[in-house]
């Protein structure tokens, strides 16, 4: 066994073997995989191993599409059968909402060249004569859907990795992972130690235990999961072709052919946790006792849809463990606080994602960044606030609602509240309906009375009109928005300016009281973040960025060593804030301070430390609404008093609280981008209008990469679209993000943000397009159906920015 390796992968399931294979494929042949037992031990060997390409997330769809297309090539490359069956998959919609979801996925498939489209009931019946299609509204067909052999796929990855020089050691448990002073790791085993710069935790059911060796607690929880296989069914035995699988998610079960019978699996509401205090180290190829009564309701729905299931005997039952994250997505990527420690844990649809996940992991370790923006998978999306109680509650909710539609803007209540600010009770009593952002409760909108909750759907919901009232109030008078969940940092010391200039692309403010906007550049030259930096003293700067990306951004900040005597610290928990914006914002604040707020004394993009109602605040003359406004930041202990004073001062002016849904509408009216939507490592500065903020005359993080991307023509451009009222009114729906954009029947782009612009009377969408220009007529696939739209020349609200600078 080697004593040095470029990476050590812990875990010999399908994911660990895929990562090993892709590391070797991308050029790292000096890599090792350690497995405590036999390959496929854990949850791999008993998986149903279905494969499908479409996902609500476009980038995860790309990952799954790559995986589906990889298995046949992997067989040819290695000579190891993957047991690939691709008779296709039928997706059934029994409800209007499911129909909307499937039609949107079909539109995305057309845009990205994926094989997923609608077929008639007659065609579906011909493909699967055992299905009763009564009550089905529409059927989508994925010709490449099917299933694979779990052991075959895992061993094919293993063979491919070995052929490229990688080592695999079975029956070699890891007993410790010790990080050294130089940042490398010693991975300890009974057969010897290995030094490596990269430890990869792909330990499946034992992901928590392996993480604990490195002092890391991962939000993971295993559950039981059951499926059964019927005896031979005569009709199937007589067929010459294989039946397509059936995705009847409204029925909350999955079904496919297995041998000459059918395999039926379910995610039941009465789910069962397993190994809450830790996965037994001696667990391997064991199963749990059958408990089909627990999935009886799901089974009956499957029998109603496919009566042959009820007529056949049960050949075997598989009741085995799965391990989940709080949102059922993988915990993926380098741990921001641990150099060289890579996680790949909590994977549910492993055989649909294994190939793309392995490729993305290899890209991240070898090239420094993935090809696609995978923040939806990033381990950094959770932090210590995602404790055991939160994780258990969310996993229970995710399992029991595995096949439920996750609607745009949906907020799930399980496990909440995790973190609250001092004003939480006050906002709740004012009618706030809360959402979750990086663990924090924050107001989405304000109902007429306390106790309201969101309704969910693809069309306009119960919050649509109240949000409009908030937007109108702010645009006509003023609004007060809680921005406490923004990430806030302070950099201090004699070399603070130099360090910030070495991190960010723009030149830092040289005068006290001045602010600037600046991108943070990723490894491939894209936009890894956008920040507001303010010089509050000669040697002190405040930095404000995306709250949900705070842990993600740690990776970038630590790449540039801090000079001695200079500090960089997070103030997100210690500092709260509000934005006061609208034409009456100045008059509202004048009621609380003696500081002059006149334009000549407090111009746009300036800051001052002032007193408001006797409370010390840092006031920044900026506003994400595009209107006259200030951001006001105070100590957390002063938040409630400041909020009460602002609300009281606003009453005579007709001003009041505003939630984040209104802020979305207001910023879209201005065409302002937002991180993780319009700003992402996938997008180049010139494509999102930030090229002027990248000062190539100075050195900064990843300057070489962005110099190369900025030397190229833009591949696509961020634009603002106005959707025709007739189409929007007919569907009662606005774009929300992810909808494809077509021009003359050809896919040219996709929506990144959408909202109704209440103050301009337009349904609007931000999105990326190619081969299109202002004034062009296009079609936006809202609800998967074409909605006519026009690309705007300029934002409809205050295009010259006169109100912002008033």
């Amino acid at each position: 066994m080697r004593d040095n390796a470029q990476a050590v992968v812990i875990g010999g399931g399908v994911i660990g073997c895929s990562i090993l294979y892709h590391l070797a494929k991308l050029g790292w042949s000096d890599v090792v995989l350690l497995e405590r037992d036999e390959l496929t031990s854990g949850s791999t060997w008993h998986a149903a191993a279905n494969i499908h390409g479409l996902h609500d997330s476009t980038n995860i769809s790309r990952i799954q599409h790559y995986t589906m297309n990889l298995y046949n090539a992997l067989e040819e490359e290695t000579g190891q059968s993957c047991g690939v069956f691709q008779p296709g998959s039928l997706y059934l919609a029994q409800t209007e909402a499911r129909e909307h979801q499937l039609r949107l996925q079909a539109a995305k498939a057309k845009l990205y060249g994926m094989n997923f489209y609608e077929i008639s009931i007659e065609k579906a019946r011909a493909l699967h004569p055992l299905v009763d299609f009564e009550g089905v509204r529409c059927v989508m067909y994925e010709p490449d859907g099917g299933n694979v052999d779990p052991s075959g796929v895992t061993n094919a990855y293993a063979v491919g990795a070995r052929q490229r020089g990688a080592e695999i050691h079975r029956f070699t448990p890891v007993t410790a992972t010790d990080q050294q002073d130089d940042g490398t790791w010693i991975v300890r085993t009974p057969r010897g130690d290995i030094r490596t710069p990269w430890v990869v935790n792909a330990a499946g059911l034992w992901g928590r235990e392996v993480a604990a060796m490195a002092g890391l607690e991962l939000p993971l929880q295993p559950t039981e999961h059951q499926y059964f296989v019927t005896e031979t069914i005569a009709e199937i035995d007589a067929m010459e072709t294989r039946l397509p699988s059936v995705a009847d998610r409204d029925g909350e079960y999955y079904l496919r052919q297995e041998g000459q019978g059918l395999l039926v699996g379910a995610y039941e509401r009465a789910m069962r946790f397993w190994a809450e205090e830790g996965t037994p180290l001696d667990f391997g190829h064991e199963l749990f006792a059958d408990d089909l009564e627990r999935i009886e309701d799901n089974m009956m729905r499957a029998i109603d849809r496919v009566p042959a299931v009820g007529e056949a005997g049960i050949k075997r039952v598989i009741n085995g463990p799965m391990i989940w994250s709080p949102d059922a997505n993988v915990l993926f990527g380098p741990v921001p606080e641990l150099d060289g420690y890579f996680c790949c844990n909590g994977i549910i649809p492993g055989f649909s994602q294994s190939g793309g996940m392995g490729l993305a992991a290899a890209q991240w370790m070898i090239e420094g960044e993935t090809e696609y923006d995978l923040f939806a998978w990033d381990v950094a999306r959770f932090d210590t606030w995602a404790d055991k109680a939160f994780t258990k509650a969310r996993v229970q909710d995710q399992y029991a609602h595995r096949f439920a539609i996750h609607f745009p803007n949906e907020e799930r209540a399980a496990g909440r509240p995790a973190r609250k600010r001092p004003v939480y009770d006050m906002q709740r009593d004012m009618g706030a309906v809360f959402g979750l952002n990086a663990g924090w409760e924050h107001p989405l909108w304000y109902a007429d009375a306390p106790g309201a909750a969101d309704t969910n759907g693809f069309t306009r919901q119960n919050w649509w009109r109240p949000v409009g009232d908030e937007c109108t109030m702010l645009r006509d008078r003023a609004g007060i928005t809680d921005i406490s969940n923004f990430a806030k940092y302070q950099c201090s010391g004699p070399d603070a300016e130099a360090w910030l200039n070495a991190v960010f692309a723009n030149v830092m403010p040289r005068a006290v009281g001045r602010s600037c906007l600046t991108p943070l550049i990723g490894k491939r030259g894209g936009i890894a973040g956008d920040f507001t930096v303010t010089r509050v003293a000669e040697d002190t700067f405040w930095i404000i960025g995306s709250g949900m990306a705070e842990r993600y951004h740690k990776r970038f900040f630590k790449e540039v060593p801090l000079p001695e005597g200079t500090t960089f610290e997070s103030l997100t928990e210690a500092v709260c804030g509000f934005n006061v914006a609208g034409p009456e914002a100045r008059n509202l604040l004048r009621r609380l301070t003696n500081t002059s707020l006149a334009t000549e004394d407090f111009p746009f993009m300036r800051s001052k430390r002032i007193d408001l109602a006797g409370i010390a605040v840092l006031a920044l003359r900026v506003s994400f609404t595009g209107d006259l406004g200030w951001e006001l930041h105070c100590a957390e202990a002063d938040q409630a008093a400041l909020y009460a004073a602002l609300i009281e001062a606003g009453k005579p002016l007709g001003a009041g609280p505003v939630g984040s849904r209104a802020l979305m509408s207001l910023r879209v009216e201005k065409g302002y981008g937002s991180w993780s939507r319009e700003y992402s490592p996938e997008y180049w500065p010139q494509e999102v209008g930030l090229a002027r903020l990248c000062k190539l005359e100075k050195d900064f993080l990843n300057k070489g990469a962005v110099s190369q991307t900025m030397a190229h023509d833009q591949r696509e451009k961020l634009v603002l679209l106005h959707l025709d009222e007739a189409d929007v009114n007919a569907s009662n729906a606005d774009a929300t993000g992810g909808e494809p954009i077509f021009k003359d029947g050809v896919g040219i782009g996709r929506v990144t943000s959408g909202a109704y612009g209440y103050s301009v009377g337009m349904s609007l969408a931000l999105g990326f397009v190619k081969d299109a220009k202002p004034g062009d007529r296009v079609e936006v696939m809202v609800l998967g159906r074409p909605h006519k739209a026009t690309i705007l020349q300029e934002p409809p609200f205050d295009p010259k920015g006169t109100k912002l600078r008033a």
Side-chain angles (χ1 to χ4, degrees), residues 8 25 31 131 135 140 144 155 186-188 218 223 277 298 344 352 374 414 457 486 560 619 640 692 725 727 735:
V8 174
K25 189 173 183 178
V31 288
V131 174
M140 296 292 170
D144 300 325
N155 283 300
I186 300 294
V187 180
R188 305 194 186 280
L218 292 178
T223 69
E277 300 306 318
N298 309 68
C344 198
S352 289
L374 293 176
F486 287 8
V560 181
R692 62 185 177 83
E725 294 303 309
D727 288 343

Side-chain angles (χ1 to χ4, degrees), residues 734-757:
D734 304 288
T736 58
E739 294 88 351
I741 303 170
F742 289 86
K743 179 184 176 186
D744 300 326
V746 177
I748 62 167
R750 71 273 175 210
V751 171
T752 49
S753 295
Y756 190 77

Side-chain angles (χ1 to χ4, degrees), residues 783-805:
L783 308 184
R785 297 188 182 279
H787 286 50
K788 298 181 181 64
T790 303
I791 299 176
L792 298 179
Q793 177 70 46
E794 58 187 13
F797 178 78
D798 190 28
K800 305 305 179 187
T802 55
K803 295 179 184 292
L804 191 65
R805 294 170 173 79

Side-chain angles (χ1 to χ4, degrees), residues 765-789:
L766 281 164
F768 288 91
V769 299
K770 58 184 178 181
D771 301 324
K773 63 185 185 302
D776 282 359
R777 296 284 286 168
V778 298
E779 291 181 328
V780 179
M781 302 300 287
V782 178
L783 308 184
R785 297 188 182 279
H787 286 50
K788 298 181 181 64

Side-chain angles (χ1 to χ4, degrees), residues 83-339:
V84 182
F85 294 100
Q86 291 181 288
S89 298
L90 300 175
Y91 293 77
L92 314 184
Q94 298 185 48
T95 65
E96 183 181 51
R98 186 72 65 181
E99 184 177 359
H100 291 331
Q101 181 195 40
L102 293 181
R103 292 195 186 284
L104 180 56
Q105 289 183 336
K108 289 181 181 180
K110 182 180 178 183
L111 176 65
Y112 294 106
M114 300 175 184
N115 220 359
F116 184 92
Y117 51 86
E118 185 173 6
I119 61 174
S120 67
I121 297 292
E122 291 73 22
K123 174 66 173 176
R125 188 175 288 114
L127 288 169
H128 204 312
L130 301 186
V131 174
D132 180 353
F133 288 94
E134 183 179 356
V136 173
R137 298 172 63 99
C138 76
V139 181
M140 296 292 170
Y141 182 50
E142 185 176 32
D144 300 325
N147 63 282
V148 293
D149 170 43
S151 295
V153 168
T154 305
N155 283 300
Y157 283 134
V159 169
R162 286 191 181 107
Q163 288 175 344
R164 296 174 183 272
E167 286 186 7
I168 295 175
H169 298 281
R170 299 171 300 149
F171 306 103
T172 308
V174 172
T175 58
T177 53
D178 298 331
Q179 191 162 33
Q180 307 303 294
D181 291 341
D182 64 357
T184 62
W185 293 82
I186 300 294
V187 180
R188 305 194 186 280
T189 81
R191 298 176 59 187
D193 298 342
I194 307 175
R195 181 183 289 268
T196 180
W198 280 105
V199 171
V200 182
N201 180 350
L205 294 173
W206 296 269
R208 295 172 297 175
E209 287 69 31
V210 169
M213 294 179 188
L216 181 66
E217 187 171 327
L218 292 178
L220 294 166
Q221 173 59 52
T223 69
E224 296 185 15
H225 177 65
Q226 291 186 98
Y227 65 83
F228 65 89
V229 179
T230 72
E231 299 282 2
T232 295
I233 295 172
E235 294 96 324
I236 297 177
D237 194 35
M239 291 178 183
E240 296 182 359
T241 58
R242 191 174 178 88
L243 291 170
S245 60
V246 176
D248 184 5
R249 290 168 177 169
D250 293 321
E252 298 185 315
Y253 64 87
Y254 57 87
L255 182 150
R256 67 165 173 82
Q257 184 173 337
E258 175 73 5
Q260 302 309 309
L262 292 171
L263 180 153
V264 181
Y267 292 92
E268 69 280 10
R269 298 296 175 92
M271 55 80 64
R272 181 172 293 170
F273 293 115
W274 178 70
E276 293 182 47
E277 300 306 318
T279 304
L281 296 181
D282 59 352
F283 188 86
H285 284 80
E286 295 89 347
L287 292 172
F288 308 130
D290 304 351
D291 189 9
L292 290 181
E293 287 187 8
R294 215 167 67 239
I295 64 170
E296 185 176 358
D297 290 345
N298 309 68
M299 290 171 60
M300 295 308 297
R301 288 190 290 270
I303 291 169
D304 287 343
R305 183 63 61 196
V306 185
V309 173
E311 297 166 3
I314 294 178
K315 182 178 181 180
R316 68 178 184 274
V317 178
I318 300 294
N319 186 12
M322 308 169 73
I323 189 163
W324 299 69
S325 76
D327 60 4
N329 279 337
V330 61
L331 302 178
F332 186 76
V335 175
E337 299 80 13
L338 291 176
D339 290 341

